Amino acid sequence: MIRVEDLHRHFGGFRAVDGASLSIETGSITGLIGPNGAGKSTLFNVVAGVLPPTSGRVFMDDEEITGLPPHELFHRGLLRTFQLAHEFASMTVRENLMMVPGQQTGETIWSTWLRRGQIEREELELRKKADEVLEFLTIRHLAHERAGNLSGGQKKLLELGRTMMVDAKVVFLDEVGAGVNRTLLGTIGDAIVRLNKERGYTFCVIEHDMDFIAKLCDPVIVMAEGKVLATGASDEIMQNEAVIEAYLGTGLKNQVKAGTG
Ligand SMILES: Nc1ncnc2c1ncn2[C@@H]1O[C@H](COP(=O)(O)OP(=O)(O)OP(=O)(O)O)[C@@H](O)[C@H]1O
Ligand SMILES: [Mg+2]
């Protein structure tokens, strides 16, 4: 579904993404892991049109999408969530869901006057959709809560919920599990699996929690220093020497091997 070819994104002289190539198969829940600073979020940002690449190409279903702006990708069904959730704090959870950009009329005074009925219908539709999403995520009871009052985990759920307000095809999740308690992490994981199985979403999931990755993702792609280091099933990945080395650092690994660590 997504193919990234020899992608580079440099910041000044620093190569955050340094020739990464990878594929995300349609229908998969692909994991993207790697040590801090490996370039995972930067790669997401380039694929999702938030940052232009320094060089390299991105394809969606064999069509080139390199450098397309986020709203364009959004219409093609490519969505991302951010490592830090950004909700509209003073609005309710349901209102936040209803804020997802779409084909809403009602922007100008004229259309407000002329098409009042249509606007009301659209609102009603949106509200219905938002309630379905809340139901799906098992947070119906939070509909009227101000988003700013949610816990970190609930905010992540809300982010996931926003991807459900449109017909997403492929969703990029940047650390949906970070700072989330076990129960809520389970809810998020279940929602991802259900969206994948029942609605055909393809996912690419960045996460540091290896249990979460192992439970959800196949395959898992490992990045280090801006490059793809390995791709495979999670159990293979965790036994891969190069991967262990990237995580532990050579010095520590040698200590472990020598039995002194
Ligand atoms: N806008 C920027 N300007 C300069 N350097 C940046 C910028 N964005 C990211 N970097 C650097 O690029 C490298 C990769 O960052 P990135 O956020 O992609 O890593 P990551 O794999 O997502 O790490 P983490 O797991 O900690 O989220 C880091 O060294 C970071 O400091
Ligand atoms: Mg990151």
Side-chain angles (χ1 to χ4, degrees), residues 17-238:
V17 177
D18 188 18
S21 299
L22 56 88
S23 307
I24 298 163
E25 300 299 328
T26 304
S28 70
I29 305 177
T30 299
L32 183 60
I33 66 169
N36 293 118
K40 306 180 297 293
S41 294
T42 306
L43 183 126
F44 263 32
N45 282 330
V46 174
V47 172
V50 180
L51 280 177
T54 304
S55 66
R57 308 213 286 169
V58 184
F59 296 86
M60 180 174 182
D61 295 329
D62 288 327
E63 220 179 297
E64 183 159 8
I65 57 165
T66 319
L68 288 185
H71 64 88
E72 184 83 29
L73 296 169
F74 182 91
H75 285 296
R76 291 170 188 241
L78 187 156
L79 274 64
R80 67 156 300 173
T81 69
F82 289 86
Q83 187 163 347
L84 297 172
H86 35 303
E87 70 290 339
F88 300 99
S90 63
M91 291 167 58
T92 69
V93 168
R94 189 208 255 156
E95 284 165 351
N96 264 269
L97 289 174
M98 291 171 66
M99 280 299 287
V100 166
Q103 298 78 30
Q104 276 154 277
T105 330
E107 309 288 80
T108 68
I109 288 188
W110 286 115
S111 59
T112 313
W113 274 96
L114 297 172
R115 303 201 286 186
R116 178 159 263 163
Q118 183 181 347
I119 292 159
E120 277 168 8
R121 274 196 303 281
E122 283 176 3
E123 275 233 11
L124 216 63
E125 278 294 301
L126 266 179
R127 178 164 315 190
K128 213 175 112 206
K129 181 88 189 162
D131 286 343
E132 277 169 26
V133 169
L134 292 172
E135 192 76 48
F136 187 96
L137 296 174
T138 67
I139 51 170
R140 185 81 187 248
H141 57 288
L142 295 176
H144 302 289
E145 189 65 64
R146 277 159 52 115
N149 293 339
L150 298 181
S151 73
Q154 289 169 336
K155 285 179 185 173
K156 297 282 185 177
L157 260 182
L158 179 57
E159 284 265 305
L160 190 59
R162 290 168 67 155
T163 72
M164 297 169 59
M165 289 296 291
V166 292
D167 291 322
K169 290 199 180 95
V170 53
V171 180
F172 290 78
L173 301 175
D174 197 348
E175 301 199 22
V176 270
V180 174
N181 72 46
R182 284 280 134 197
T183 315
L184 215 44
L185 194 59
T187 308
I188 291 173
D190 290 347
I192 292 171
V193 170
R194 279 187 61 196
L195 287 170
N196 175 254
K197 293 228 178 335
E198 295 172 17
R199 305 204 184 172
Y201 278 35
T202 299
F203 281 101
C204 184
V205 181
I206 295 180
E207 194 47 70
H208 284 292
D209 184 328
M210 276 310 292
D211 290 338
F212 186 79
I213 287 282
K215 208 177 286 174
L216 241 59
C217 301
D218 187 22
V220 178
I221 299 171
V222 187
M223 273 185 84
E225 298 178 355
K227 296 181 174 71
V228 172
L229 199 61
T231 303
S234 58
D235 50 344
E236 287 165 30
I237 288 296
M238 280 185 250

